[in-house]
């Protein structure tokens, strides 16, 4: 803490100031967050112990499988010896393309081999308006840079990044055997196609609105939308079960893709596809490719000084690829049953608080309150790890073929997803692996999910006093619950269907309140002007759901703390170590978010990350909650205790 700062002026600086000074970003990171990063490192180290032991001396079939996978990633000698041989079969398929009309069959063929091809996203997920149905869905894709803005924003900063990207592609193509002239030509062709795709892409902010991405049509309608792309060939090619209708999330993108298929030369398409194959697997190729990929995509775009040690990369890759195999053994070592029972109690406490909060909201009518309480009662809780684990027994793993293993995993994941078409929804499925330090709310499931990885200190500590736990994991639980009622989540009902359950008047009041939050956060700067880069502010509408969840989480976890203290006959004014329970609660909350990040990463995240950076997660939330100002004896009108603030929940 930096107690030389007035908490009423800048609470983040007060709670985190000395931490941020004493904890510079490690050279293999671009962001260093007090709670998250340390726990991620710790969980990964524990995972590594398990993987290393399994790679050397497996005791079970499962250990043999993930041990071999990990070993194939660690075996850089073999990776070096094989060169680009692992991607040559995909490049051969692309070389054999006779005309643009052959692209649907080619994409299907590549995907059947597990080769990433960029282009677009096709898969199965719940129908937004009837969450009991699993339907085919199609979304925009095709870009290599982090966001469409990188291609289209017209200023010196992005122009420089674009020039560096083209230069990077040239180097990669040259490493793969192109002459300098060929490499330049290929890079220019890729840039032209990706830029056209970027221009036709829906912005992340618009994509957040479910109505914008909901366009049910027949396959025949889709064929009419894109006559240059034969969907029947693609759909039959990938081997998914028959369907008549699907959701085309971003029709304008596919309309534009149709035009591109007609206007771009066959050679340009081949270059684009060659690039997708090379770029998406560069990290798993020999060191020269890895280093060049790192230099642009990590160093230039995010300011990372050096890659993480190989064992870290390979532990993370194994977790991403076979997460529920490794996770089964990980939770046995790292998640005691008592942790789950304590979490059940905390979640119940937060549920009660949110219920109390809804009942007393000044701006909401009784009918809407009743509907909100119904939705709250229907939220399901998933804590720790799945009841039923995914069965990976069909995934072939070879100790000497990393890219082959990744292809097998990609095919497994794709088929797992395709198999859902037309089947009942599996409510027990998880979207995060057990060691993950994170949590999520899924609006179509209407459930909150807390992997074992986050249920540890500093978020959750059975030995800490209530203020610390409610300020830590309590605010995380409250955050996830509030997602069910943020600007996006509130558009779904308790069953997870997109349906208005508020009265028109209450919906109008709700929107006025969320707009207040959006405008407030748009005023926050995340990176100051420097060199050719202008000052970068947060995008209040991109981050609106997360900010609303932060604000709601802070309020309802505080209410739950008051309940917990009352049950023990204590008050929030009782002091431990010179701080009242209320102050300790806010400090615990703030210290979850102490962080340092590079300037480049702050800029990248401002465009792609729906979460605000730590400074604004803390200061934005506390200045919207009067109990904070009261707890620290602030004067009305000070920055953290303003006359006017925003409140949704
Ligand atoms: Zn969130």
């Amino acid at each position: 803490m930096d107690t030389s700062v007035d908490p009423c002026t800048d609470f983040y600086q007060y709670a985190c100031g000395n931490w941020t000074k004493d904890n510079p970003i490690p050279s293999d990171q671009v962001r260093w967050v007090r709670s998250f990063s340390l726990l991620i490192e710790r969980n990964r180290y524990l995972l590594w112990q398990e993987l290393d032991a399994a790679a050397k001396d497996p005791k079970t079939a499962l250990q043999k499988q993930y041990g071999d996978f990990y070993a194939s990633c660690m075996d850089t000698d073999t990776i070096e010896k094989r060169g680009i041989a692992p991607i040559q079969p995909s490049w051969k398929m692309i070389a054999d393309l006779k005309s643009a009309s052959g692209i649907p069959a080619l994409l299907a063929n590549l995907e059947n081999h597990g080769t990433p091809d960029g282009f677009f996203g096709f898969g199965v997920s719940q129908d937004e308006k009837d969450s009991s149905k699993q339907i085919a869905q199609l979304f925009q894709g095709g870009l290599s840079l982090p966001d469409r803005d990188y291609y289209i924003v017209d200023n010196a900063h992005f122009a420089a990044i674009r020039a560096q990207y083209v230069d990077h592609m040239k180097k990669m193509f040259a490493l793969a055997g192109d002459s300098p002239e060929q490499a330049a030509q290929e890079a220019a062709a890729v840039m032209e196609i990706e830029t056209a795709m970027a221009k036709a892409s829906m912005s992340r902010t618009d994509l957040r609105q479910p109505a914008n991405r909901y366009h049910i049509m027949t396959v025949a309608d889709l064929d009419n939308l894109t006559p240059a792309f034969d969907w029947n060939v693609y759909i039959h090619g990938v081997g998914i079960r028959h369907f008549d209708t699907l959701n085309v999330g971003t029709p304008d993108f596919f309309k534009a893709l149709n035009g591109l298929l007609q206007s771009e030369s066959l050679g340009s398409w081949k270059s684009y596809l060659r690039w997708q194959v090379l770029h998406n697997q560069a990290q798993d190729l020999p060191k020269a490719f890895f280093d060049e990929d790192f230099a642009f995509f990590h160093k230039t775009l995010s300011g990372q000084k050096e890659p993480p040690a190989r064992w870290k990369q390979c532990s993370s890759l194994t977790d991403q690829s076979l997460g529920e195999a490794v996770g089964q053994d990980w939770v046995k070592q790292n998640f005691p049953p008592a942790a789950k029972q304590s979490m059940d109690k905390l979640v119940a406490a937060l549920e009660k608080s949110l219920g109390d909060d809804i009942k007393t909201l000044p701006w909401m009518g009784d009918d809407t309150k009743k509907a909100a309480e119904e939705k709250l009662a229907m939220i399901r809780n998933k804590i720790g790890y799945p009841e039923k684990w995914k069965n990976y027994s069909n995934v072939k793993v070879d100790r000497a073929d990393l890219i082959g293993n990744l292809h097998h995993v990609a095919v497994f994941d794709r088929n797992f997803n395709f198999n859902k078409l037309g089947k009942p929804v599996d409510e027990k499925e998880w979207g995060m692996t057990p060691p993950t330090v994170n949590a999520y709310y899924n609006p179509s499931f209407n459930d909150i999910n807390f992997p074992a990885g986050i249920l540890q200190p500093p978020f959750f500590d059975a030995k800490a006093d209530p203020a610390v736990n409610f300020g830590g994991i309590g605010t995380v639980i409250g955050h996830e619950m509030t997602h069910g009622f943020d600007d996006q989540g509130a558009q779904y009902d308790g069953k997870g269907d997109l349906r208005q359950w508020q009265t028109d008047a209450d919906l109008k009041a709700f929107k006025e309140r969320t707009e207040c939050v959006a405008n407030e956060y748009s005023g926050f700067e995340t990176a100051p002007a420097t060199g050719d880069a202008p000052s970068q502010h947060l995008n209040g509408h991109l981050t609106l759901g997360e900010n609303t969840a932060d604000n709601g989480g802070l309020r309802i976890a505080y209410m739950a703390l008051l309940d917990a203290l009352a049950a023990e006959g204590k008050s929030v004014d009782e002091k431990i170590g010179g701080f009242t329970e209320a102050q300790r609660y806010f400090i615990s909350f703030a210290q979850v978010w102490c962080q340092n990040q590079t300037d480049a990463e702050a800029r990248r995240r401002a465009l792609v990350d729906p979460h605000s950076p730590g400074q604004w997660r803390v200061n934005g939330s506390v200045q919207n909650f009067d109990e904070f100002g009261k707890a620290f004896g602030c004067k009305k009108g000070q920055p953290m205790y303003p006359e006017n603030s925003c409140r949704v929940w």
Side-chain angles (χ1 to χ4, degrees), residues 118-137:
F119 244 97
F120 52 72
F122 174 69
V124 177
S125 56
Q126 285 160 283
D127 184 336
E128 300 255 25
K129 291 196 176 166
D130 179 358
S131 61
S132 68
K133 285 208 183 95
Q134 305 258 31
I135 60 166
Q137 312 239 15

Side-chain angles (χ1 to χ4, degrees), residues 438-441 476 479-480 483 486 545-547 549-550 610-611 617:
N438 211 334
Y440 69 97
Y441 170 79
V476 176
H479 171 106
E480 300 308 338
H483 268 317
D486 69 25
E546 296 299 336
N547 298 331
D550 280 345
H611 304 87
R617 295 192 80 151

Side-chain angles (χ1 to χ4, degrees), residues 67-85:
D68 282 352
F69 185 98
Y70 174 78
S72 76
C73 178
M74 289 301 289
D75 186 359
T76 47
D77 287 348
T78 299
I79 290 169
E80 214 56 43
K81 257 183 246 142
R82 299 190 65 200
I84 59 165

Side-chain angles (χ1 to χ4, degrees), residues 273-292:
L273 285 159
R274 279 163 59 84
W275 173 248
Q276 293 303 325
V277 168
L278 178 61
H279 163 60
N280 286 307
Q281 297 173 103
Q283 301 192 332
D284 312 304
L285 286 169
K287 191 170 182 302
F289 292 91
F290 179 98
D291 287 348
E292 176 52 35

Side-chain angles (χ1 to χ4, degrees), residues 247-264:
N247 178 43
V248 179
T250 51
D252 289 345
F253 175 83
F254 289 97
K255 228 185 281 176
L257 184 59
N258 187 68
L260 279 178
L261 286 167
Q262 290 164 329
S263 63
E264 293 290 335

Side-chain angles (χ1 to χ4, degrees), residues 379-398:
I379 294 181
R380 286 176 295 109
N381 311 316
K382 296 198 318 231
I383 294 166
Y385 54 89
E387 284 174 35
K388 197 181 85 208
W389 297 101
K390 267 186 193 165
N391 177 1
Y392 296 98
S393 55
N394 289 330
V395 180
K396 214 179 112 220
V397 174
D398 178 342

Side-chain angles (χ1 to χ4, degrees), residues 115-172:
T115 308
D117 61 39
F119 244 97
F120 52 72
F122 174 69
V124 177
S125 56
Q126 285 160 283
D127 184 336
E128 300 255 25
K129 291 196 176 166
D130 179 358
S131 61
S132 68
K133 285 208 183 95
Q134 305 258 31
I135 60 166
Q137 312 239 15
L138 189 58
F139 278 91
Q140 66 193 28
L143 308 184
S144 305
L145 292 174
D147 187 80
R148 63 168 207 161
D149 279 6
Y150 281 78
Y151 297 88
I152 55 188
V153 171
D154 186 17
N155 68 26
H157 175 64
F158 283 107
I161 290 178
R162 288 191 283 272
Q164 285 168 289
Y165 174 46
V166 171
D167 200 44
H168 163 66
M169 286 194 277
K170 281 192 228 168
K171 288 182 189 155
M172 290 288 279

